[in-house]
Amino acid sequence: MTPSGGHADASRHPPEFEGFPFLVTRVGHTPLRHIALLPADWSFDRLAEAVRRQARANRLDTCLCLGPTDALFVEADGTEFAGSPLCWGIPVIGAIALPEPLDSTPELLARQAALEAFARRNPASGYLVGDGLEGGWRATPEEVKRLSGRDEEGIPRGLRRCARCGAFRGDYLAVRGEGNGDRTPRVVPVHCRCENHNRCARCGEPLAEWRLSSYFFAEADRAVRYLAAYAGLGHRCVP
């Protein structure tokens, strides 16, 4: 998540919602921005701890917006830096739980109503087919040779069953444009369930069945598939 001073499009998409303080979670590299309000009477230390807990659990880039020019960014890997808020995009609300429920004070309820109105004024249009993190790396001739083909059970070479969770993991040679449409042979890491580190900050359960913004092996149809970050927006805590 880049501060506004370092993003080429920031000047054309200034932040519009000003109900500070709040968290903005970047959903992959899509225009989706999940906004969650925080109490205005919390100290800076408590607000900073909230954004750290959120990013640590979700493993998604998260920004604590404190004012028009004051924000604390915490990236998925834990890197922190200060900057100006960058919350423009398509607002999403109520889909990513905070670590703890908040008291419904009059002040918070008023800002929540303003946030809901803001979301209604800026609805999404069209549809998403990925999240901009499909990547991988260009395969070397040695990797093409080593990873080409499948074994007698139809498992791509380079994948091995995890002894702990039973799902497959390893390196996969993508040659059909898997994920991003690029048919240049490239290697993509495939993650098993053990490597699903995207957790709900409230209940601690995975945000989705597989790791977000990553590839997994669908054993039933012997296919490697990509799970975009917005799949995590469907998580709901079970009481």
Side-chain angles (χ1 to χ4, degrees):
M1 182 179 283
T2 308
S4 59
H7 196 291
D9 292 335
S11 62
R12 293 189 290 111
H13 300 274
E16 297 179 45
F17 184 67
E18 296 184 350
F20 308 105
F22 54 87
L23 297 183
V24 175
T25 299
R26 187 177 188 184
V27 183
H29 282 179
T30 72
L32 299 176
R33 301 289 188 272
H34 186 274
I35 304 175
L37 301 179
L38 293 175
D41 59 356
W42 279 13
S43 67
F44 172 77
D45 287 345
R46 189 172 182 182
L47 292 169
E49 181 58 22
V51 67
R52 291 174 183 131
R53 289 176 65 187
Q54 196 74 37
R56 188 163 57 240
N58 298 163
R59 294 294 183 96
L60 298 171
D61 294 345
T62 309
C63 173
L64 168 62
C65 297
L66 297 165
T69 61
D70 188 11
L72 174 63
F73 293 82
V74 181
E75 297 189 333
D77 63 3
T79 301
E80 296 184 17
F81 54 93
S84 297
L86 180 62
C87 61
W88 54 264
I90 301 171
V92 180
I93 60 176
I96 298 179
L98 294 171
E100 58 189 273
L102 304 178
D103 293 334
S104 298
T105 64
E107 183 275 333
L108 192 62
L109 289 173
R111 281 194 292 133
Q112 183 64 35
L115 175 59
E116 292 171 0
F118 171 74
R120 289 194 297 270
R121 291 195 305 269
N122 298 274
S125 61
Y127 58 91
L128 298 172
V129 295
D131 66 3
L133 295 172
E134 294 86 352
W137 62 88
R138 184 182 295 270
T140 65
E142 187 279 330
E143 287 172 326
V144 171
K145 180 179 179 180
R146 176 171 59 87
L147 300 175
S148 291
R150 298 179 176 234
D151 65 18
E152 61 278 4
E153 296 181 356
I155 307 301
R157 301 191 188 282
L159 300 188
R160 297 291 182 271
R161 193 180 293 278
C162 174
R164 181 179 176 186
C165 70
F168 283 89
R169 58 189 293 182
D171 290 336
Y172 172 71
L173 183 67
V175 295
R176 297 190 178 92
E178 294 92 335
N180 63 6
D182 182 2
R183 291 180 174 269
T184 302
R186 69 189 205 285
V187 180
V188 297
V190 172
H191 295 282
C192 66
R193 287 189 175 86
C194 294
E195 296 175 306
N196 183 358
H197 60 193
N198 305 105
R199 301 281 167 169
C200 173
R202 178 77 57 85
C203 70
E205 292 299 310
L207 291 178
E209 182 179 2
W210 302 94
R211 182 168 172 166
L212 302 180
S213 300
S214 297
Y215 293 86
F216 66 95
F217 183 64
E219 192 170 354
D221 54 9
R222 296 294 194 270
V224 169
R225 304 194 186 282
Y226 184 79
L227 187 68
Y230 47 77
L233 298 177
H235 170 78
R236 295 295 180 269
C237 299
V238 177

